[in-house]
Amino acid sequence: MPRQLGELEDAVMTRVWQWNRPVTVREVLEDLQQERSIAYTTVMTVMDNLHQKGWVRREVDGRAYRYTAVSTRAAYSAALMNEAWSQSDNPAAALVAFFGMMSPEQREALNDAIRIVGHNSADAPPPPAEGADGTAGPGR
């Protein structure tokens, strides 16, 4: 599990993830400059560091690089949650506390995710087959 991104790394990766296409240092710089004063070399160093850490891949485009995210923001968030949960000395209590912090919308998203994972799981029992009359299959 990679470590959590720093504040500037996160700001850069947010753009790479949102744009979902190969980006240049100049593009990221110009967008970041709408929020803060920052130098080209600073953004270039951050993007090089993200490449060295495996967050982005890069390809040469003329005299510059184009950077592309290696994974999604969702995968990054999931890895952070998994890492935090695995560090707990009482994972069940940590989950209860986490669920207690969730908004109703987040709990609904969690329920949707559990349904999706359960539906896609090889261990999940298949849904009951419908008979010709629209009722459940064997054992109706």
Side-chain angles (χ1 to χ4, degrees):
M1 155 73 194
R3 70 170 179 76
Q4 185 171 354
L5 295 171
E7 186 264 331
L8 188 52
E9 290 173 327
D10 186 69
V12 169
M13 283 305 301
T14 294
R15 282 145 180 89
V16 175
W17 282 318
Q18 285 176 342
W19 296 339
N20 197 28
R21 61 173 172 77
V23 300
T24 64
V25 171
R26 175 78 50 207
E27 290 173 307
V28 174
L29 170 72
E30 290 172 358
D31 200 60
L32 285 171
Q33 285 178 330
Q34 295 177 29
E35 300 172 357
R36 65 179 88 190
S37 177
I38 191 166
Y40 179 92
T41 53
T42 301
V43 177
M44 182 177 64
T45 298
V46 169
M47 294 185 82
D48 183 61
N49 289 343
L50 288 167
H51 175 256
Q52 297 299 322
K53 293 175 182 180
W55 287 105
V56 293
R57 68 176 59 90
R58 66 185 181 194
E59 58 187 49
V60 176
D61 183 14
R63 294 177 49 207
Y65 287 112
R66 288 204 173 266
Y67 294 84
T68 308
V70 170
S71 67
T72 65
R73 176 124 205 165
Y76 166 68
S77 297
L80 289 178
M81 289 187 289
N82 187 56
E83 177 68 15
W85 185 46
S86 69
Q87 297 297 319
S88 174
D89 59 348
N90 187 340
L95 282 176
V96 169
F98 180 63
F99 296 156
M101 294 180 213
M102 291 179 151
S103 69
E105 295 81 16
Q106 289 171 321
R107 281 194 292 277
E108 186 176 333
L110 175 65
N111 287 330
D112 291 344
I114 290 170
R115 277 192 295 278
I116 290 168
V117 169
H119 180 70
N120 292 337
S121 173
D123 298 333
E130 286 190 18
D133 60 358
T135 60
R140 299 171 228 205

